Amino acid sequence: TLFNDICFMAPAALVDAPVSWESVDEHRVRGSYTVGEQTVSADLVFGDDGDLIDFRSEDRLRLSADGKSFTRLPWSTPLGRYEPRHGYRIATYGEALWDAPAPEGRFCYAELHIDDIVYNPEPRRPSEPVPGERPGPARIWRAADTGRMAADG
């Protein structure tokens, strides 16, 4: 999840990230992200215009229904509807998909719609509301002093 989020939400962070890259073809690169002894790999797929349009990994683990085991399943996050926001071109739509075996098959468990984005916000506590923010099930906050991101709400 972290490697995916960096690629999609903070690609500039890839410059210093512990990632090794391998060219696959003219539209795909394979990145291997390593932290400690854990390495995950994914294919990043780019459109003709250079936009990231998919992130595909075989290294994502899905928790079993009984919560006792994990199964490695293909996982992807297709992105699209790129639009300008505050001088940047960003994907405003994305999905999170599992490719499970039959009878379940491929399914989407999350959709992402981005209406707006704020860069370098003023530091605040996660419990503080963002001025002008619309209520919703969750929001993303950034702790400016640590650079970490987390879901709040």
Side-chain angles (χ1 to χ4, degrees):
T1 300
L2 180 59
F3 184 30
N4 177 271
D5 289 353
I6 292 170
C7 292
F8 170 50
M9 299 297 276
L14 290 167
V15 171
D16 293 325
V19 180
S20 61
W21 299 101
E22 166 188 350
S23 179
V24 176
D25 60 36
E26 69 180 66
H27 290 284
R28 288 186 304 151
V29 296
R30 181 163 298 123
S32 294
Y33 179 80
T34 302
V35 175
E37 294 182 16
Q38 181 74 33
T39 297
V40 296
S41 295
D43 285 358
L44 281 67
V45 183
F46 297 88
D48 289 333
D49 52 11
D51 291 333
L52 177 63
I53 59 172
D54 205 354
F55 177 102
R56 300 176 186 162
S57 180
E58 303 281 331
D59 291 336
R60 179 82 183 229
L61 300 177
R62 181 180 178 203
L63 185 63
S64 65
D66 64 7
K68 295 181 180 181
S69 64
F70 291 91
T71 303
R72 190 176 303 275
L73 291 178
W75 178 74
S76 64
T77 56
L79 305 169
R81 300 183 193 155
Y82 276 81
E83 297 178 11
R85 294 287 191 271
H86 307 284
Y88 297 93
R89 184 172 161 78
I90 66 166
T92 61
Y93 179 79
E95 296 177 331
L97 306 171
W98 284 111
D99 287 319
E104 198 172 26
R106 186 173 207 194
F107 67 93
C108 176
Y109 70 91
E111 285 187 355
L112 174 71
H113 299 266
I114 297 177
D115 296 320
D116 202 7
I117 193 162
V118 176
Y119 292 95
N120 298 319
E122 292 297 318
R124 65 178 186 82
R125 289 209 238 306
S127 60
E128 294 176 11
V130 175
E133 180 181 74
R134 289 182 274 165
R139 65 180 179 265
I140 302 296
W141 62 271
R142 180 178 179 272
D145 57 332
T146 64
R148 65 187 177 101
M149 296 181 74
D152 177 24

